[in-house]
Amino acid sequence: MIPLNAIRAFETTIRLGSVKAAAKELCVTEGAISRQIKKLENVLGLPLARRDKQTIAATALGNALAQNLTTALDLVDQSVSDAQNKSARIRLQVAPSFAIRWLMPRLDQLQKDLPLLDVRVTTTLLNNQFDHYSFDAGIIYGDGQWTNLNTIKLSNEYLLPVASPDASKITLENFKGLTFLHTTLDQRDWKLWVEKSNHDQAISLTGPTFETLDLAVRAAENGFGISLGDLSLIYDNFRTNSLKVPFGPILETGRGYYLVHEPSHLCGRAIDDFKHWLQPQSPIQTIDAETIAQNLGINLISVSS
């Protein structure tokens, strides 16, 4: 068997043009490099290099061999690098509602499609802030205006009223007497929806506040009141008839969920693999809000209109 150390020593010496440079790159002594080259010549029974006191040069045969070895060793290095990247770990920060409503049901498929990718999901209540010290990438909520981060939009936020299919009293006629479920103490989502829907803005939006959108929607599913849901995250509920839309409109807010990471992160290849898996099936690619609004018989409006 041809010794790999001898191959590496010979290729590096010819590529760099000196034993001294090869010794420095491979972190060995010059004497070790010379011995490895001689060993390769003995194993092959071929003259590969001409030497004098100061320099070493490849013979014609040695030069051809060195060029082929450079190509082969580059391929080996790239193959090892690819294997390391494909089996890399990604520490992923995810907004809770996106994690529960969209990502978790698809983790099994992710494992099947990218079995060597170790994605470690952590949810945090800092929906719109990325903790780049603790995580390699994040799926966070906002308008996409973060500095020093690469961003890819995964969903548009479409807010619409949702309730339990059994909640027969939740109708537009009873709007003023409904129990409104909130995700912020300032009730900003419902206030925005009421304003853009041309409802009476003086109406009392009485109701409890929940820590996440997912909790508010789950409360609505159980008949506790009416919540605003994000169409991108609750579309699966319509297909299973676990939620109903008692009235419209659907409001496009201009915000959404984004995949973010630092531009020069060391897990770049692993993040690219995850990104290429995520993008084609993300809500922004699969949710047609206009068609859904037409099918529901309600309007689709925008904050900007």
Side-chain angles (χ1 to χ4, degrees):
M1 181 179 293
I2 299 175
L4 183 58
N5 286 343
I7 289 174
R8 179 71 80 175
F10 173 70
E11 183 276 333
T12 305
T13 300
I14 302 306
R15 173 167 49 82
L16 298 180
S18 76
V19 170
K20 183 177 181 180
K24 183 177 181 180
E25 179 169 307
L26 298 178
C27 299
V28 296
T29 65
E30 294 178 36
I33 293 291
S34 296
R35 287 192 295 273
Q36 290 293 341
I37 293 174
K38 188 63 177 177
K39 183 177 183 179
L40 182 61
E41 288 180 313
N42 291 338
V43 170
L44 297 179
L46 299 170
L48 301 177
R50 296 186 298 271
R51 305 165 180 80
D52 59 31
K53 291 183 179 180
Q54 301 296 327
T55 62
I56 184 169
T59 63
L61 189 61
N63 190 57
L65 176 62
Q67 290 181 14
N68 289 333
L69 289 177
T70 297
T71 301
L73 290 172
D74 284 346
L75 180 60
V76 170
D77 289 341
Q78 185 61 53
S79 298
V80 171
S81 178
D82 287 348
Q84 289 174 330
N85 282 326
K86 287 180 180 177
S87 62
R89 178 188 70 184
I90 298 177
R91 299 167 301 167
L92 186 66
Q93 171 191 340
V94 188
S97 294
F98 191 95
I100 295 169
R101 291 270 165 182
W102 194 91
L103 184 59
M104 295 297 287
R106 292 165 176 82
L107 284 181
D108 183 59
Q109 190 60 49
L110 171 62
Q111 181 64 31
K112 292 176 182 176
D113 293 341
L114 297 173
L116 298 180
L117 187 63
D118 180 12
V119 180
R120 302 190 178 184
V121 177
T122 300
T123 60
T124 74
L125 292 176
L126 298 174
N127 280 356
N128 60 355
Q129 299 176 36
F130 176 52
D131 178 5
H132 62 91
Y133 295 107
S134 303
F135 299 98
D136 305 310
I139 297 176
I140 59 178
Y141 171 81
D143 58 8
Q145 301 303 309
W146 295 283
T147 58
N148 302 320
L149 288 177
N150 284 355
T151 65
I152 294 178
K153 195 170 190 180
L154 301 177
S155 74
N156 289 310
E157 182 180 52
Y158 298 102
L159 295 179
L160 71 166
V162 293
S164 166
D166 299 325
S168 58
K169 293 183 179 180
I170 295 183
T171 64
L172 194 57
E173 289 73 20
N174 297 330
F175 189 74
K176 292 184 178 181
L178 298 179
T179 298
F180 295 91
L181 310 179
H182 303 279
T183 57
T184 59
L185 291 173
D186 61 9
Q187 305 176 347
R188 68 174 73 106
D189 287 344
W190 268 115
K191 288 179 179 178
L192 179 64
W193 186 90
V194 167
E195 175 191 348
K196 296 298 179 179
S197 303
N198 295 321
H199 285 287
D200 182 1
Q201 295 184 43
I203 190 173
S204 174
L205 297 170
T206 303
T209 300
F210 296 85
E211 204 165 34
T212 66
L213 176 70
D214 176 66
L215 290 175
V217 171
R218 287 183 185 275
E221 283 182 89
N222 286 283
F224 190 53
I226 185 168
S227 173
L228 285 174
D230 181 353
L231 179 61
S232 297
L233 302 186
I234 63 173
Y235 180 64
D236 290 343
N237 295 95
F238 296 147
R239 294 188 294 183
T240 59
N241 296 316
S242 60
L243 282 173
K244 74 172 183 178
V245 181
F247 45 79
I250 299 174
L251 175 63
E252 182 179 6
T253 68
R255 301 171 73 84
Y257 288 93
Y258 291 77
L259 176 67
V260 302
H261 64 88
E262 291 187 305
S264 58
H265 199 281
L266 294 176
C267 293
R269 178 62 181 272
I271 291 174
D272 283 344
D273 287 343
F274 180 62
K275 185 190 308 179
H276 294 151
W277 175 86
L278 186 63
Q279 278 187 280
Q281 57 186 315
S282 63
I284 202 168
Q285 299 291 337
T286 59
I287 299 295
D288 183 350
E290 187 172 347
T291 298
I292 292 172
Q294 290 175 355
N295 292 339
L296 292 172
I298 58 179
N299 292 327
L300 172 63
I301 62 175
S302 172
V303 166
S304 59
S305 61

